[in-house]
Amino acid sequence: MRKLFYLMMAVCVLASTTSYSQMNRKAIKKNNRRISSFKGKKHNFGKEKVYNAIGFSLNALNYYGDLAPRPSPFSTDISFTRPGIGLSFTNRFGPSYSLTAGFLYGTLKGSDVESAAGEAGNFRHSRNLSFRNRIKELSVLAAFDLMENQATYISRVLWTPYAFVGVAGFHHNPQAQAPATDLNGQPLPEAGQWVNLQ
């Protein structure tokens, strides 16, 4: 009796294993046929691929114009170079496009007395013009990848040519430091103060 029971158990186990493996082979063949006839499917740019980026930039701003040391296109006073600081926020919300908002702050400066050189130096010292200009710029930029990029920021393509378009607005207010006296030699009440230039 015990032998018969063990024999029946062995037959059941072997039969179930055999039927399972046959079902598995059928599923594999069906899957292979489905894969071989697959022609591709467009995937959406899912939420898991959307990402944001924060940027920081440090720039150097310098002035060239009437208050440059010499009347030459390459004449500038390096000592007037001032830093410019920029912040940006980028949102990539599609396989080919992203939007960036940026803010830049910097100062330009020029002075006859400090930078005048050469033959015009005497006249420039007498003219005694100077200014500073604090510039604030706000920009919005849309970038379009020319080759679609479906990957995330971790596994992007090695390089992507792109085109961009944007708008920027800036505010600036040139100021000059008031001298001690006016042209007639009379003392000025705002002497030494920075006053807005029109």
Side-chain angles (χ1 to χ4, degrees):
M1 186 75 163
R2 201 176 266 183
K3 287 183 181 178
L4 184 60
F5 175 75
Y6 287 134
L7 182 62
M8 287 179 65
M9 290 294 284
V11 168
C12 286
V13 168
L14 290 174
S16 64
T17 305
T18 304
S19 64
Y20 174 76
S21 65
Q22 286 175 348
M23 284 176 61
N24 198 15
R25 272 191 236 120
K26 285 180 184 176
I28 290 171
K29 285 181 181 178
K30 184 179 178 183
N31 210 20
N32 287 346
R33 281 195 298 273
R34 189 167 55 83
I35 289 171
S36 65
S37 63
F38 182 70
K39 293 182 180 176
K41 180 180 173 183
K42 187 175 181 181
H43 295 285
N44 292 330
F45 195 81
K47 289 183 179 179
E48 73 282 356
K49 294 181 180 180
V50 173
Y51 64 87
N52 299 318
I54 296 173
F56 174 78
S57 64
L58 185 62
N59 312 290
L61 278 70
N62 201 307
Y63 161 80
Y64 170 73
D66 292 345
L67 276 63
R70 288 185 169 82
S72 162
F74 302 105
S75 178
T76 187
D77 192 335
I78 300 299
S79 69
F80 287 150
T81 303
R82 295 291 179 266
I85 298 171
L87 289 171
S88 65
F89 177 80
T90 301
N91 176 252
R92 182 172 183 84
F93 54 91
S96 298
Y97 36 88
S98 59
L99 197 63
T100 301
F103 176 76
L104 174 72
Y105 175 80
T107 302
L108 292 176
K109 187 177 178 184
S111 170
D112 272 338
V113 171
E114 295 180 49
S115 65
E119 296 175 11
N122 292 336
F123 164 72
R124 297 269 303 279
H125 278 275
S126 301
R127 183 174 71 168
N128 194 25
L129 292 180
S130 66
F131 82 97
R132 75 175 181 192
N133 195 356
R134 293 173 175 165
I135 301 171
K136 302 168 201 80
E137 180 191 80
L138 190 62
S139 61
V140 178
L141 180 76
F144 305 93
D145 292 343
L146 301 181
M147 291 165 31
E148 195 172 87
N149 182 359
Q150 287 283 357
T152 64
Y153 70 94
I154 296 172
S155 57
R156 289 181 291 203
V157 291
L158 292 178
W159 65 280
T160 305
Y162 66 94
F164 64 89
V165 63
V167 293
F170 63 92
H171 174 268
H172 70 112
N173 183 25
Q175 296 177 314
Q177 202 164 17
T181 61
D182 63 16
L183 295 174
N184 299 322
Q186 301 297 319
L188 289 173
E190 61 270 11
Q193 297 178 20
W194 288 96
V195 295
N196 296 336
L197 299 173
Q198 297 301 314

